[in-house]
Amino acid sequence: VQLAESGGGLVQAGDSLRLSCAAPGAAGGRTFSSNGLAWFRQVPGKEREFVAGISWNGGNINYADSVKGRFTIARQSAKIMLTLQMNNLKPEDTAVYYCAAARSGFGSKDKNDYYYWGPGTQVTVSS
C-alpha cells in the first residue's frame, strides 16, 4: 500500500498551505481508520523529523514545538484520510513532507513506529 501526499508548493513567508494524504492503492478501500497517522518532514542531510501525529479516533494529537499554534492535523473522510493545515509558514518549514501510517492506533513521534509512507511532497517557503 502506498500513501500519496499532495498540496506542496512554493510560497512566501506568512502564507498558508494545506497538505493532503490519501491511500489510493489500498486494497478494499482501506483507509487506516484503526491506525495512528502522522506528518514528518525532512531536509537534505538531516534526520526525518516528526511534525504532527493523530490517534486513530482523533482523540490524541501531538505537535512538534516548532509548529504548535501554526499547523493543524486532522483526519478526514475515506478518500482523503489526513490533512495538515499550515499557516504562517516560515523559511525553516522548507522540507519534503511525508505522510505515514503507524502500526498502532497512536500518532507516535517515533518514525520507527510507522510502516507505510508516502513519497513526500516538497514545501518551499521563501523569505
Side-chain angles (χ1 to χ4, degrees), residues 2-121:
Q2 178 82 27
L3 304 182
E5 304 91 345
S6 61
L10 171 63
V11 297
Q12 293 187 331
D15 286 351
S16 298
L17 276 177
R18 186 174 186 254
L19 304 184
S20 296
C21 177
R30 182 177 181 182
T31 58
F32 297 96
S33 58
S34 298
N35 301 72
L37 301 173
W39 290 97
F40 286 78
R41 66 187 182 188
Q42 189 171 22
V43 297
K46 290 192 176 182
E47 291 283 323
R48 189 169 297 188
E49 66 171 6
F50 172 82
V51 174
I54 187 167
S55 61
W56 69 276
N57 63 352
N60 184 269
I61 294 175
N62 289 299
Y63 294 100
D65 288 343
S66 59
V67 307
K68 276 181 185 174
R70 300 188 298 120
F71 290 11
T72 303
I73 187 172
R75 301 187 77 108
Q76 303 295 342
S77 62
K79 195 163 187 178
I80 300 293
M81 64 179 188
L82 185 69
T83 58
L84 183 70
Q85 178 66 41
M86 305 187 294
N87 297 330
N88 190 23
L89 282 161
K90 302 177 180 180
E92 50 264 43
D93 294 319
T94 295
V96 176
Y97 283 72
Y98 298 89
C99 169
R103 294 181 179 85
S104 75
F106 299 98
S108 166
K109 295 182 178 181
D110 186 347
K111 60 181 180 294
N112 295 310
D113 290 340
Y114 294 83
Y115 66 158
Y116 285 121
W117 294 84
T121 185

